[in-house]
Amino acid sequence: MPDLLAEARQDLAIANRVLANEGVLDAFGHISMRHPTNPDRYLISRYGAAELMMPADILELTLDSKPVVPTSGRLFSELVIHGAIYQARPDVHSVCHHHAVSVLPYCITGVELVPVMHLGASLGGKVPFWDSRDEFGDTPLVVTKPEEGASLARALGPHWMVLLRRHGATLAGRSLRECVFRSIYTSRNAELQSRAMAIGSISTLSDGEAEMCGSHSLTPRTLSRVWEYWTFRLAKVEATTAGAGAKAPGATKAPGKSPAKASARRSKAAARPAKRAAAVPAGRARKAKRAKKR
Amino acid sequence: MPDLLAEARQDLAIANRVLANEGVLDAFGHISMRHPTNPDRYLISRYGAAELMMPADILELTLDSKPVVPTSGRLFSELVIHGAIYQARPDVHSVCHHHAVSVLPYCITGVELVPVMHLGASLGGKVPFWDSRDEFGDTPLVVTKPEEGASLARALGPHWMVLLRRHGATLAGRSLRECVFRSIYTSRNAELQSRAMAIGSISTLSDGEAEMCGSHSLTPRTLSRVWEYWTFRLAKVEATTAGAGAKAPGATKAPGKSPAKASARRSKAAARPAKRAAAVPAGRARKAKRAKKR
Amino acid sequence: MPDLLAEARQDLAIANRVLANEGVLDAFGHISMRHPTNPDRYLISRYGAAELMMPADILELTLDSKPVVPTSGRLFSELVIHGAIYQARPDVHSVCHHHAVSVLPYCITGVELVPVMHLGASLGGKVPFWDSRDEFGDTPLVVTKPEEGASLARALGPHWMVLLRRHGATLAGRSLRECVFRSIYTSRNAELQSRAMAIGSISTLSDGEAEMCGSHSLTPRTLSRVWEYWTFRLAKVEATTAGAGAKAPGATKAPGKSPAKASARRSKAAARPAKRAAAVPAGRARKAKRAKKR
Amino acid sequence: MPDLLAEARQDLAIANRVLANEGVLDAFGHISMRHPTNPDRYLISRYGAAELMMPADILELTLDSKPVVPTSGRLFSELVIHGAIYQARPDVHSVCHHHAVSVLPYCITGVELVPVMHLGASLGGKVPFWDSRDEFGDTPLVVTKPEEGASLARALGPHWMVLLRRHGATLAGRSLRECVFRSIYTSRNAELQSRAMAIGSISTLSDGEAEMCGSHSLTPRTLSRVWEYWTFRLAKVEATTAGAGAKAPGATKAPGKSPAKASARRSKAAARPAKRAAAVPAGRARKAKRAKKR
């Protein structure tokens, strides 16, 4: 179904740029989503920084993280993080891997991330750790082999966030918007937890509060509100710079097109994210309604 | 009196965007004001992020937080925070609820917010805590029921700021500008208190100093000075992005207008806040003069 | 000598906006300079935030802080901070009073500011404290009376920075550029001192190092380099927003001109700071050379 | 070979502005590179802030830090930092000296910088300290004399980063891009180390992990990815401000040209960095391949 796939590419490209604009992704890190109609495929961008990604940069991969269409373009070395989680978790439709500054101190110290305010329910309960040393000894601290991805997926278990020691974090979501929400608000929660620990003893949400907060915030209503907010902020930033003609070198990979034409398409496309983001097709709205309540 | 109401909508929309620009409101949080001529009504925006709000987004509600004009648009779930305080406090003409990063650590730890510099007099004296668990046990940490709003208003008492445990803060003011001032400067005070606690033992304003500082800073003269500053900063940001054509999807709710025309009106309106903000109608100046000195 | 005075107004307006752009001045705070040819006068802006100030906003005052030309415009309430220091210190040609976030924690805790890196020599040696309670008991923590200004000047003594407890800081300089340099780099030093104290025991410059660093950095060569840097950064910000037509309400006070024409002049003037700043008239270069070496 | 030299000037000017945009260089600090074809020469900008530098600002010096072409322009006082390291280390092709805020606390306290996440392998193993007091007693804490530069180079030894007590840091790299990578990611590692130390006990990379991480990240593939990211971010910022006509006073030193024409060339040149940066000439790609693997 070409329309749903084109829409998914648009949304995933926007999600990349939203996560960059909100400080979660930077030169490194990536976000993917399961194919909208084929659960044995997932979508992720070509190799590069999230801030640059446009729909033409989105590739389709098998759950073994192989490109469906052969490509000479570069791929992320850590694709197995995504593929392994999609294999292990049929309920997961989006995965994000990042090195956000507010979260990494927990990966470095092993201090537990806990929900300290209502939006911290985005943590989804317990946040396990994964240490590559346990199974693999010394590694270059990148998850590149299928067995490493499978090990990480086992550590994630039924949870929604896992911290990779001395490396970063991986989030899962039942939809792209939920994964973006979890990625941003777990980072905000981590920042607040650190600031609170600096001035006194922290109190956390009770289990009952955490469950109720999760139900309240992980709804289409709330996800729409924050998506409107993030895409508006992104549109403001991109309108300012697109008008001035900023171009990323080599960012577009639309097959057969010249770089100049690709850049022009890129600039025009960059100025449309808010408009695109506002259209919520019937299919996705129905899927969001069906998502199991926590 | 249509002129005063239209002016109030303008000012409240600007206040929304000022609080977003100054880092107090983000995807969540809201600010309201009592109707300029009818004390049994209050004004607040439609559901959404403060950064997006324009005059056409401002709704009129009863003190029971029901829309005066039936609307199919979404409303904030926490309207009772505002309505309950307007009911309990005839002297309050503006209420703000936020999750500002510098204040939340105090909501998380229960550490007391104290005035550490002269502008900290914006705290207004004692800052009580409110914990929804005390009366309501486990909740989703959102104040949505009339009894919860009434409980929060009781905790606020005669004070100007209350901290909601594991949630955020609520400020009150005798005018819209005073509420914005308190919301911004209590956040700055909280930031300074945290930074000071990190390097040594903090000293606070004496009761006499706090009272004198409050009288000095909560005057029309000082409120004008900071309002000029905030609206100028906002105008700069909005002029840059409005010129580039940034549009928020679905932000405007002017009845009967097409989204495209609404967006165009929105952009033109966004470039006028400084001009609007500078006009201080006679009515409001008289009201400010009548406000009781603390 | 009209040319030197016009130039001084230009430079002082730029200094205002540089200090705002570099995060030292915000809604509050102010910077002044002694009249370029009459040591019994000083120049300071009209009442308002530094970010807004243009040459037409600069007023001339006596050392008793009275306007030389009667004006109906508002004046800062803390003018005596400037006048008292110019009276007490014939070697001082510029004074800045601010509430910078990195410095205020020292005003709150009484922890001593010390030079921790070579640019910390901008502290100028010892940094005394002044507490209004000592002589005046409870006050609104604003320095408004001549006796308060004189008391503060006594606390400053022969030094270059004094910290006002629970309030802010005041800097002095032998020239406008030196005062701006000290204001910015003492704030940077304070930030680094706090960050260093958070990770270990700080080491400070020896007396010999501090003296040599001061001589090295407070030279026309270094002051030119940083002035070029700051004015370039300011020009970039102002070019972006001036092109989009941002106007501050009521900011210009050019007598007899309409607000619209004043705004237009303002926008054109805002785009010229870098050009103006680059011109170093012979008189000022000679004055800088004559400044006593520390 | 004029083409390689012109290209080197372009890349070095971009590296200056990238390091300024990423918060490593500010009013002070500098980056250099060895001449692309003559190992007895190196390239560095004229005296001034990195944010301003264009290809016309790049000078050629001998390893004794003397200009190859006599110039009346100002030079950095700390050129010997670069020359001494190029003399001592034939494998080094780029040197950066900075005062980055996240790193300076380690220079102030003597706390050791350690790799806390995989990109911290950019530290290159041990990070030695150098204290000018040890050999030279009290100095103005600037490295200006050949014997001081030689002493610093001895402290750097075979390592890639050295911390100058109470001053700043110096990085070395086998290429310009590697030096920029190390400068940025060691600063990010320092920030994370400080944040982690604030919440718990830090864990560091094992020696095996550090070696593997270094091999993984200091490759042409990874260096290309981050260079694309940084130059894109820089292009966005410069496109926004160049369109608005911001000009730096006296920044261009192209001999014989008028300042107005130089400014116009400057603005056009500023809008081209992304395009320039994307072209990787065969010569440099071959050099990158030959760089010894750690």
Side-chain angles (χ1 to χ4, degrees):
Chain A
M1 301 172 207
D3 279 358
L4 281 179
L5 182 59
E7 217 164 73
R9 288 176 182 268
Q10 282 273 7
D11 287 347
L12 184 56
I14 289 169
N16 267 272
R17 302 196 315 273
V18 156
L19 288 171
N21 197 41
E22 299 298 328
V24 174
L25 296 180
D26 48 38
F28 297 96
H30 18 79
I31 181 163
S32 68
M33 63 185 286
R34 200 184 291 262
H35 193 286
T37 56
N38 182 352
D40 297 324
R41 301 277 187 269
Y42 74 91
L43 307 177
I44 195 167
S45 79
R46 55 106 178 164
Y47 177 78
E51 196 164 328
L52 281 62
M53 297 308 169
M54 302 301 292
D57 297 307
I58 306 300
L59 309 171
E60 186 178 335
L61 279 64
T62 65
L63 296 195
D64 289 326
S65 301
K66 305 281 185 269
V68 165
V69 173
T71 173
S72 57
R74 283 176 171 169
L75 304 173
F76 288 117
S77 58
E78 295 191 292
L79 291 173
V80 296
I81 291 178
H82 302 261
I85 291 175
Y86 289 126
Q87 290 182 37
R89 292 279 295 275
D91 60 322
V92 167
H93 286 263
S94 183
V95 175
C96 175
H97 173 66
H98 71 66
H99 306 163
V101 169
S102 61
V103 176
L104 223 32
Y106 295 84
C107 310
I108 293 167
T109 56
V111 170
E112 191 186 355
L113 260 185
V114 291
V116 292
M117 31 72 100
H118 55 327
L119 292 166
S122 51
L123 294 171
K126 176 184 158 79
V127 179
F129 286 96
W130 179 75
D131 193 331
S132 49
R133 274 184 205 161
D134 296 343
E135 278 191 60
F136 306 101
D138 284 343
T139 70
L141 294 177
V142 277
V143 182
T144 56
K145 303 174 186 171
E147 55 270 28
E148 292 170 339
S151 175
L152 177 63
R154 279 194 302 275
L156 175 67
H159 305 295
W160 299 97
M161 182 180 197
V162 55
L163 300 184
L164 291 66
R165 291 304 303 273
R166 302 177 304 293
H167 181 169
T170 298
L171 282 297
R174 290 164 294 187
S175 68
L176 178 66
R177 289 189 181 190
E178 183 185 290
C179 190
V180 172
F181 181 93
R182 291 188 190 272
S183 300
I184 291 175
Y185 281 104
T186 52
S187 297
R188 303 291 187 253
N189 183 92
E191 175 67 28
L192 291 170
Q193 184 178 338
S194 299
R195 285 181 177 238
M197 287 167 66
I199 67 167
S201 303
I202 63 172
S203 60
T204 77
L205 271 54
S206 65
D207 290 344
E209 283 173 340
E211 178 151 356
M212 292 185 190
C213 288
S215 298
H216 179 85
S217 56
L218 295 168
T219 58
R221 166 183 154 107
T222 303
L223 293 180
S224 277
R225 171 187 188 170
V226 290
W227 192 256
E228 174 188 46
Y229 174 64
W230 297 324
T231 51
F232 176 64
R233 284 160 58 85
L234 179 68
K236 284 202 299 189
V237 167
E238 293 189 338
T240 307
T241 51
K247 293 182 281 290
T252 51
K253 288 285 188 302
K257 302 282 193 303
S258 76
K261 286 189 181 170
S263 290
R265 273 201 314 283
R266 215 180 169 288
S267 293
K268 283 170 58 182
R272 286 195 315 246
K275 211 159 134 191
R276 274 294 310 137
V280 180
R284 195 173 320 122
R286 286 195 296 271
K287 174 186 289 186
K289 282 215 171 91
R290 286 195 306 263
K292 280 200 300 288
K293 285 209 178 3
R294 298 196 64 243
Chain B
M1 301 171 206
D3 279 357
L4 282 178
L5 183 59
E7 219 164 70
R9 287 175 183 268
Q10 281 272 9
D11 286 346
L12 185 55
I14 288 170
N16 268 273
R17 302 197 314 273
V18 156
L19 288 171
N21 197 42
E22 298 298 328
V24 173
L25 296 180
D26 48 39
F28 297 95
H30 18 78
I31 181 163
S32 69
M33 64 184 286
R34 201 183 291 261
H35 192 287
T37 54
N38 183 351
D40 297 324
R41 301 277 187 268
Y42 73 91
L43 306 176
I44 196 167
S45 78
R46 54 105 180 164
Y47 176 78
E51 197 164 326
L52 282 62
M53 297 307 168
M54 302 301 292
D57 296 306
I58 305 299
L59 309 171
E60 187 177 335
L61 278 64
T62 65
L63 297 195
D64 289 325
S65 301
K66 304 281 184 268
V68 165
V69 173
T71 173
S72 57
R74 283 177 171 166
L75 304 173
F76 289 118
S77 58
E78 295 191 292
L79 292 172
V80 296
I81 292 178
H82 302 261
I85 291 174
Y86 290 125
Q87 290 182 36
R89 291 279 294 277
D91 61 323
V92 167
H93 287 264
S94 183
V95 176
C96 175
H97 173 66
H98 71 66
H99 306 163
V101 169
S102 61
V103 175
L104 223 31
Y106 294 85
C107 309
I108 294 166
T109 56
V111 170
E112 192 186 356
L113 259 185
V114 291
V116 293
M117 32 71 102
H118 55 330
L119 292 167
S122 51
L123 294 171
K126 175 183 157 82
V127 178
F129 287 96
W130 179 75
D131 193 331
S132 49
R133 275 185 203 160
D134 295 344
E135 277 191 59
F136 306 101
D138 283 344
T139 69
L141 294 177
V142 276
V143 182
T144 56
K145 303 176 186 169
E147 56 270 26
E148 292 170 338
S151 176
L152 177 63
R154 280 193 302 274
L156 174 68
H159 305 295
W160 299 97
M161 182 180 198
V162 55
L163 300 185
L164 291 67
R165 293 301 304 273
R166 302 178 302 292
H167 182 169
T170 298
L171 281 298
R174 289 165 293 187
S175 67
L176 178 65
R177 288 189 181 191
E178 183 184 291
C179 191
V180 171
F181 182 92
R182 291 188 190 273
S183 300
I184 292 175
Y185 281 104
T186 52
S187 297
R188 304 292 187 250
N189 183 92
E191 175 67 27
L192 291 170
Q193 184 178 339
S194 298
R195 287 182 175 236
M197 287 167 65
I199 67 166
S201 302
I202 62 172
S203 60
T204 78
L205 270 53
S206 66
D207 290 344
E209 284 173 339
E211 177 151 358
M212 291 184 189
C213 287
S215 298
H216 178 87
S217 55
L218 295 169
T219 58
R221 167 183 153 104
T222 303
L223 294 179
S224 275
R225 171 187 188 170
V226 291
W227 192 256
E228 174 188 47
Y229 174 64
W230 296 323
T231 52
F232 177 64
R233 285 159 60 84
L234 180 67
K236 283 202 297 187
V237 167
E238 294 188 338
T240 306
T241 51
K247 294 182 280 292
T252 50
K253 290 284 189 299
K257 302 282 192 306
S258 75
K261 287 188 180 171
S263 290
R265 273 202 313 284
R266 215 179 169 288
S267 295
K268 283 170 60 183
R272 289 196 312 247
K275 210 160 139 192
R276 273 295 311 139
V280 180
R284 195 174 317 123
R286 287 195 296 271
K287 175 185 287 188
K289 282 211 171 92
R290 286 195 305 263
K292 279 200 303 285
K293 285 210 177 0
R294 301 197 59 245
Chain C
M1 298 172 207
D3 279 357
L4 282 177
L5 182 58
E7 220 164 70
R9 288 176 183 268
Q10 281 273 9
D11 286 348
L12 184 55
I14 287 169
N16 267 275
R17 303 197 313 273
V18 157
L19 288 171
N21 198 42
E22 299 297 329
V24 173
L25 295 180
D26 47 41
F28 297 97
H30 19 78
I31 180 162
S32 68
M33 63 184 287
R34 200 183 291 262
H35 193 287
T37 55
N38 183 351
D40 296 326
R41 301 277 187 266
Y42 73 92
L43 307 176
I44 196 168
S45 78
R46 55 107 179 161
Y47 176 77
E51 195 164 329
L52 283 61
M53 296 308 167
M54 302 301 291
D57 297 307
I58 306 299
L59 310 172
E60 186 178 335
L61 279 62
T62 66
L63 296 195
D64 290 325
S65 301
K66 306 278 184 266
V68 165
V69 173
T71 173
S72 57
R74 284 175 170 168
L75 304 173
F76 288 118
S77 59
E78 295 191 293
L79 292 172
V80 295
I81 291 177
H82 302 261
I85 291 175
Y86 289 126
Q87 290 182 36
R89 292 279 296 276
D91 60 325
V92 167
H93 286 265
S94 183
V95 175
C96 175
H97 173 66
H98 70 66
H99 306 163
V101 169
S102 62
V103 176
L104 223 32
Y106 295 84
C107 308
I108 294 166
T109 57
V111 170
E112 193 186 356
L113 259 185
V114 290
V116 291
M117 32 71 101
H118 54 329
L119 292 168
S122 51
L123 293 171
K126 175 182 157 79
V127 179
F129 287 95
W130 179 75
D131 193 331
S132 49
R133 275 184 203 161
D134 295 344
E135 277 191 60
F136 305 102
D138 284 343
T139 69
L141 294 177
V142 276
V143 182
T144 56
K145 302 176 186 168
E147 55 272 27
E148 292 170 339
S151 175
L152 177 63
R154 279 194 302 274
L156 174 67
H159 305 295
W160 297 97
M161 182 181 197
V162 55
L163 300 184
L164 291 66
R165 291 304 302 271
R166 302 176 304 291
H167 183 169
T170 298
L171 283 297
R174 290 163 294 187
S175 67
L176 178 65
R177 289 188 182 191
E178 183 184 290
C179 191
V180 172
F181 182 94
R182 289 187 192 272
S183 300
I184 291 174
Y185 281 105
T186 52
S187 297
R188 305 290 188 249
N189 183 92
E191 175 68 27
L192 290 170
Q193 185 177 338
S194 298
R195 288 181 175 237
M197 286 167 65
I199 67 167
S201 302
I202 63 171
S203 61
T204 78
L205 272 54
S206 66
D207 290 344
E209 284 172 339
E211 176 150 358
M212 292 184 189
C213 288
S215 298
H216 179 86
S217 55
L218 296 168
T219 57
R221 167 183 153 105
T222 303
L223 293 180
S224 276
R225 172 186 187 172
V226 289
W227 192 255
E228 174 188 45
Y229 174 64
W230 297 323
T231 52
F232 176 63
R233 286 160 57 86
L234 180 67
K236 284 202 297 187
V237 167
E238 294 189 339
T240 306
T241 51
K247 294 182 281 291
T252 50
K253 289 282 188 300
K257 302 282 191 303
S258 76
K261 286 189 181 171
S263 290
R265 272 201 314 282
R266 213 178 171 289
S267 294
K268 283 170 58 181
R272 288 197 310 250
K275 208 158 137 194
R276 273 295 310 140
V280 181
R284 195 174 318 122
R286 285 195 296 271
K287 173 185 289 187
K289 282 215 174 89
R290 284 195 306 261
K292 279 200 300 286
K293 287 213 178 353
R294 299 198 61 247
Chain D
M1 299 173 208
D3 280 358
L4 282 178
L5 182 59
E7 218 164 71
R9 286 176 183 269
Q10 282 273 9
D11 287 347
L12 184 55
I14 288 169
N16 266 274
R17 303 196 314 273
V18 157
L19 288 171
N21 197 41
E22 299 298 328
V24 173
L25 296 180
D26 48 38
F28 297 97
H30 18 80
I31 180 162
S32 68
M33 63 185 287
R34 201 185 290 263
H35 193 287
T37 55
N38 183 349
D40 297 325
R41 300 277 188 266
Y42 74 91
L43 306 177
I44 195 167
S45 77
R46 55 108 178 161
Y47 176 78
E51 194 165 329
L52 282 61
M53 297 309 168
M54 303 300 292
D57 297 307
I58 306 300
L59 310 172
E60 186 178 336
L61 279 63
T62 65
L63 296 196
D64 290 325
S65 301
K66 305 280 184 268
V68 165
V69 173
T71 173
S72 58
R74 284 176 170 168
L75 304 173
F76 289 117
S77 58
E78 295 191 292
L79 292 172
V80 296
I81 290 177
H82 302 261
I85 291 174
Y86 290 127
Q87 291 183 37
R89 292 279 296 276
D91 61 323
V92 167
H93 287 264
S94 183
V95 176
C96 175
H97 172 66
H98 71 65
H99 307 163
V101 169
S102 63
V103 175
L104 224 30
Y106 295 84
C107 309
I108 294 167
T109 57
V111 170
E112 193 186 356
L113 260 185
V114 291
V116 291
M117 31 73 100
H118 54 327
L119 291 167
S122 52
L123 293 171
K126 176 183 156 80
V127 179
F129 286 96
W130 179 75
D131 193 330
S132 50
R133 273 185 205 159
D134 294 346
E135 279 191 60
F136 305 101
D138 284 343
T139 69
L141 294 177
V142 277
V143 182
T144 56
K145 302 177 186 168
E147 56 270 28
E148 292 169 339
S151 176
L152 178 62
R154 279 193 303 273
L156 175 67
H159 305 294
W160 298 97
M161 182 180 198
V162 55
L163 300 184
L164 292 67
R165 291 305 302 273
R166 302 176 304 292
H167 182 168
T170 298
L171 282 298
R174 290 164 294 187
S175 68
L176 178 65
R177 289 189 182 191
E178 183 184 291
C179 190
V180 172
F181 182 93
R182 290 187 191 273
S183 301
I184 291 175
Y185 282 104
T186 52
S187 296
R188 303 291 186 251
N189 184 92
E191 175 67 28
L192 290 170
Q193 184 178 339
S194 299
R195 286 180 176 237
M197 287 167 66
I199 67 168
S201 302
I202 62 172
S203 60
T204 78
L205 271 54
S206 65
D207 289 344
E209 284 172 339
E211 178 151 356
M212 291 184 188
C213 288
S215 298
H216 179 85
S217 56
L218 295 169
T219 58
R221 167 184 153 105
T222 303
L223 293 181
S224 276
R225 171 187 188 171
V226 290
W227 192 255
E228 174 189 46
Y229 174 64
W230 297 323
T231 52
F232 177 65
R233 284 160 59 85
L234 179 68
K236 283 202 297 188
V237 166
E238 293 189 340
T240 306
T241 51
K247 294 181 281 292
T252 51
K253 290 285 188 298
K257 301 283 193 302
S258 76
K261 286 190 182 169
S263 290
R265 272 200 315 282
R266 214 180 169 288
S267 293
K268 283 169 59 182
R272 286 195 313 249
K275 208 157 136 195
R276 274 294 310 139
V280 181
R284 195 173 319 122
R286 286 193 297 271
K287 175 186 287 187
K289 283 216 173 87
R290 286 194 307 261
K292 281 199 299 287
K293 287 212 176 1
R294 302 195 63 245

